[in-house]
DNA sequence: CTCCGTGCAAACAATTTGCATGGAT
DNA sequence: ATCCATGCAAATTGTTTGCACGGAG
């Protein structure tokens, strides 16, 4: 859906991230992901059906953050006739197992991603809806300090930057 | 609804915040808020009705982050029979005018607050649903740097810490 | 052969909207 | 006297659930 480019960030201290990987997908990595997802469902003690297989492979391959209907569409290319209920039920099982993440950006529908990669936050391009991942250790640390200073411990957090491409200077 | 206490944070650099103000409410401040809200609606070129007046005063007085139905309940104590549609319509007008903020914490209903105070982020106690405001200049700065480094400018952002009271050590 | 997973349709919850009437200006 | 704002009910959107059947184990 969206074009790809290696995005880098060289902020004063930490990190960088790539969002999409264009053409050359590391199949081994995707296969490992698919296996992780399958294992998670097995662990949950459920049956492996062909609609679930399709969904798992789609999720493992997805480099973006698709919503439920989009996942249904993609999965149906492999195995026609997968209902939206099945998509939601499978997603919810996978989320419970902790192998995928569900995001609720602004007021829109939920979007999902496999959680195999390390923790990161999101920048959402308000014009294109494209999602760019990033991570900054200093922000993480500050968050923990703030919570701690107020007598809390963080269960989880959301940092979402709604952004727009800068006009070229 | 929730008990009050002056919360402070003495994080390495910046800020602190109070959530609720128990009994002694600064009436002048609340009245000023109410006027701001009224002015905003007038500016929007709409008519002032008694249901809107009730809502505005409720919003101005609210020191927490109530949801639409809660606002309706409170407003109905002043003026009975305010419908939920009216609440939503008024909230949406006020949000357009920029005098209130709408938050969508996790999967729950939207919650609102007047935006007269300076910008801040939120900590949500996952056990009590209580919301604590905080603000940290360093985090803000880092966010801007990150967006900038990736060629974006921030339109708005959400930083939400879902937290739990620490077990006493 | 036993149940779990599925598709379908209906149920849901939060929010929005169409419409006729009442009220602010 | 205008025409906007209201209340009500119906529509919408995204997601969940009840039920009877089919397929995984």
């Amino acid at each position: 859906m969206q074009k790809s480019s290696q995005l880098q960030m060289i902020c004063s201290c930490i990190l960088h991230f790539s969002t999409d990987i264009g053409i050359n997908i590391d199949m081994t990595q995707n296969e490992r992901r698919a296996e992780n997802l399958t294992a998670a469902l097995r662990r949950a003690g459920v049956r492996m059906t062909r609609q679930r297989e399709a969904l798992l492979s789609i999720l493992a391959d997805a480099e973006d953050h698709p919503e439920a209907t989009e996942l249904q569409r993609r999965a149906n290319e492999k195995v026609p006739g997968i209902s939206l209920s099945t998509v939601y039920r499978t997603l919810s099982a996978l989320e419970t197992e902790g192998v995928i993440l569900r995001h609720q950006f602004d007021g829109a529908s939920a979007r999902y991603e496999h959680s195999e990669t390390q923790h990161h936050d999101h920048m959402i391009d308000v014009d294109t809806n494209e999602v760019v991942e990033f991570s900054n250790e200093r922000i993480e640390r500050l968050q923990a300090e703030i919570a701690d200073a107020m007598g809390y411990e963080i269960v989880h957090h959301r940092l979402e930057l709604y952004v727009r491409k800068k006009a070229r200077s």
Side-chain angles (χ1 to χ4, degrees), chain A:
Chain A
M1 189 156 279
Q2 58 250 24
K3 269 309 191 44
S4 214
S5 62
Q6 186 79 6
L7 288 166
Q8 290 225 334
M9 78 142 302
I10 327 92
C11 156
S12 42
C13 74
I14 321 288
L15 325 155
H16 71 281
F17 260 86
S18 62
T19 8
D20 307 80
I21 304 176
I23 303 277
N24 298 315
I25 298 177
D26 179 348
M27 292 312 278
T28 332
Q29 188 185 155
N30 286 8
E31 277 160 15
R32 195 184 62 241
R33 272 184 210 144
E35 266 172 40
N36 282 346
L37 298 179
T38 307
L41 276 197
R42 286 245 144 77
R43 199 184 319 135
V46 299
R47 291 174 185 175
M48 198 51 52
T49 63
R50 88 192 168 296
Q51 22 294 68
R52 277 179 179 167
E53 268 165 21
L55 268 169
L56 296 181
S57 105
I58 293 297
L59 271 169
D61 291 357
E63 297 294 333
D64 52 354
H65 301 67
E67 26 190 89
T69 50
E70 171 63 12
L71 283 168
Q72 182 193 23
R73 203 191 55 69
R74 293 187 198 174
N76 274 326
E77 285 176 4
K78 295 201 170 195
V79 177
I82 301 180
S83 77
L84 201 46
S85 347
T86 298
V87 175
Y88 277 115
R89 279 189 276 234
T90 304
L91 287 173
S92 129
L94 290 168
E95 198 199 358
T96 303
E97 285 302 304
V99 287
I100 64 168
L101 292 174
R102 173 193 197 139
H103 302 292
Q104 188 83 28
F105 298 133
D106 260 1
S109 325
R111 298 172 67 172
Y112 303 83
E113 68 174 320
H114 53 78
S115 58
E116 182 213 39
T117 56
Q118 73 194 91
H119 164 75
H120 54 252
D121 298 308
H122 298 90
M123 291 176 52
I124 300 93
D125 187 316
V126 294
D127 295 320
T128 66
N129 284 320
E130 193 175 353
V131 175
V132 178
E133 303 175 350
F134 72 91
S135 162
N136 184 298
E137 201 178 277
R138 284 213 276 172
I139 290 184
E140 302 285 323
R141 214 156 39 216
L142 284 168
Q143 288 173 2
E145 280 173 29
I146 291 168
D148 188 76
M150 296 175 106
Y152 291 102
E153 53 193 9
I154 294 181
V155 178
H156 70 279
H157 72 97
R158 315 166 52 166
L159 171 55
E160 295 161 8
L161 306 183
Y162 293 88
V163 299
R164 166 169 293 138
K165 274 247 153 59
K166 272 188 296 189
R168 53 195 77 275
S169 45

